[in-house]
Amino acid sequence: MSAWGATILDATGHRLTPDEKTFFAEADPFGFILFARNIDTPDQVRALCDEMRSAVGRNVPITIDQEGGRVQRLRAPTWREWLPPLALVMRTGPGAAEALYLQYRIIATELHALGIDSNCAPLVDVAGSATHEFLHDRCYGTEPGIVALLGRAVADGLLDGGVLPVLKHIPGHGRAQADSHLDLPVVEAQMEALVACDFAPFRALNDLPMGMTAHLVYAAIDPRPATTSPVMMQLIRDEIGFDGLIMTDDITMKALTGTLPEIARASLDAGCDVVLCCNASLEDRRAVADAAGHLTGHGQRRAEAALAVRKMPDEVDIPALEATLAAMIAGPGHV
């Protein structure tokens, strides 16, 4: 079997265009990602997922950002609206791990029913007083041990529902005081503080199948953004001990500079396995796929190992889980 393309790509609309079908068949990306523009009805989403898999001729993974709060692509009235993760944690207090498990187990049911078998969560960036607002309410807390515990609950909820989790943003985005969609954040903390706090939840969850990089500079370690830094990528493998498939965060974000093919190649040369390219023209997607080429031997091994973790959902009573979660959110006396 030849190696798959070292990319995760997206589509422009509700169905694939003829040109996209041809391109995807040629590029053979490792996976796909969906956005709000790709979502209309359940039948439409299922048909789009089927088209994506047909284009590459295999059961390719399809991921999405369905965290809750501001970051969720499936929305009411067709799908459930969810509290932001930090709001759920605050509401449920000592029961936060159970609440997050329930929320993400239900989310997994929604995703799996559509043919979506991955979710870009858990997010185990450790929040602080200066964490940028684009990230803050997506975090699970301020203590690395608690964040790791809650991140494990999220991952378990997804896995039990047949959905692969994507651990993000390795090796830790919580100290960023800028939005990496718009600027390159620079973190000045020293290595000792980073190891004790920011990196710790990722080390605790280093057995998860897939992870997504952070587009920010850790000035005490390397002047290059982590996504394109061989030093940081080696730290993720060695210090954090993560041997899962590593995808970049979206390379079209403004934190990274250069042409998209240049960024794609720099990310892979640094040690990422696959490049996530979103919201780009077909011409740009072609250029990125050409620059990325195919997975390396190690990358193909990690990709196959990640997909081997996929399983059929366990059988649960979703209305009962919803009732339990609602009672937990409502507070004492309602459970």
Side-chain angles (χ1 to χ4, degrees):
M1 181 189 72
S2 60
W4 301 321
T7 51
I8 297 174
L9 302 171
D10 60 356
T12 54
H14 291 163
R15 300 296 289 267
L16 297 187
T17 66
D19 284 345
E20 284 178 328
K21 290 180 180 179
T22 299
F23 164 52
F24 293 149
E26 295 169 350
D28 192 23
F30 164 72
F32 293 99
I33 187 168
L34 302 183
F35 289 91
R37 67 174 180 274
N38 305 125
I39 308 298
D40 184 20
T41 67
D43 284 346
Q44 169 269 319
V45 177
R46 280 189 286 268
L48 176 60
C49 290
D50 286 345
E51 285 185 333
M52 288 173 163
R53 292 187 169 110
S54 294
V56 298
R58 57 188 167 84
N59 188 20
V60 63
I62 299 175
T63 195
I64 195 168
D65 286 292
Q66 191 72 359
E67 297 175 10
R70 291 175 294 110
V71 181
Q72 59 177 86
R73 312 305 185 200
L74 306 175
R75 308 213 74 118
T78 305
W79 293 278
R80 299 164 178 84
E81 289 288 331
W82 299 102
L83 286 172
L86 189 57
L88 180 64
V89 170
M90 299 298 290
R91 291 268 190 99
T92 55
E98 181 183 0
L100 281 168
Y101 175 86
L102 292 172
Q103 176 159 307
Y104 282 86
R105 179 63 186 82
I106 299 165
I107 286 173
T109 293
E110 290 190 318
L111 298 181
H112 198 269
L114 298 172
I116 302 168
D117 57 3
S118 174
N119 190 10
C120 295
L123 182 154
V124 296
D125 304 317
V126 180
S129 59
T131 301
H132 193 280
E133 63 182 1
F134 99 93
L135 188 71
H136 191 270
D137 69 351
R138 300 163 60 193
C139 298
Y140 307 152
T142 59
E143 297 295 329
I146 298 298
V147 170
L149 175 71
L150 299 181
R152 178 68 68 183
V154 169
D156 287 347
L158 293 171
L159 287 165
D160 287 349
V163 171
L164 289 174
V166 178
L167 184 68
K168 65 186 187 187
H169 301 87
I170 288 180
H173 213 301
R175 293 182 193 263
Q177 298 181 38
D179 182 348
S180 52
H181 294 85
L182 306 174
D183 298 292
L184 175 61
V186 177
V187 171
E188 301 288 353
Q190 295 302 301
M191 183 70 167
E192 183 178 0
L194 293 170
V195 169
C197 182
D198 303 64
F199 301 167
F202 295 95
R203 190 183 309 109
L205 299 176
N206 65 12
D207 59 314
L208 292 184
M210 296 192 289
M212 177 186 288
T213 63
H215 291 337
L216 75 168
V217 167
Y218 302 86
I221 305 173
D222 191 68
R224 293 166 288 190
T227 301
T228 56
S229 165
V231 175
M232 292 306 306
M233 296 308 300
Q234 196 64 44
L235 181 148
I236 289 169
R237 296 300 189 193
D238 295 343
E239 171 69 33
I240 292 175
F242 187 82
D243 190 42
L245 182 87
I246 295 180
M247 67 182 72
T248 69
D249 203 345
D250 177 15
I251 64 168
T252 70
M253 291 163 64
K254 303 304 182 186
L256 304 179
T257 57
T259 68
L260 292 178
E262 288 170 348
I263 296 169
R265 197 62 252 164
S267 302
L268 296 171
D269 288 345
C272 296
D273 295 308
V274 294
V275 173
L276 175 64
C277 180
C278 311
N279 308 307
S281 68
L282 182 61
E283 180 182 5
D284 281 341
R285 283 178 283 169
R286 286 186 188 278
V288 167
D290 288 344
H294 295 91
L295 286 158
T296 65
H298 288 303
Q300 184 73 21
R301 173 186 62 78
R302 294 183 186 113
E304 292 175 10
L307 297 191
V309 177
R310 289 189 295 193
K311 65 178 185 179
M312 291 301 295
D314 58 3
E315 293 188 14
V316 293
D317 184 340
I318 293 296
L321 299 189
E322 287 186 297
T324 300
L325 179 58
M328 295 179 72
I329 293 171
H334 295 274
V335 178

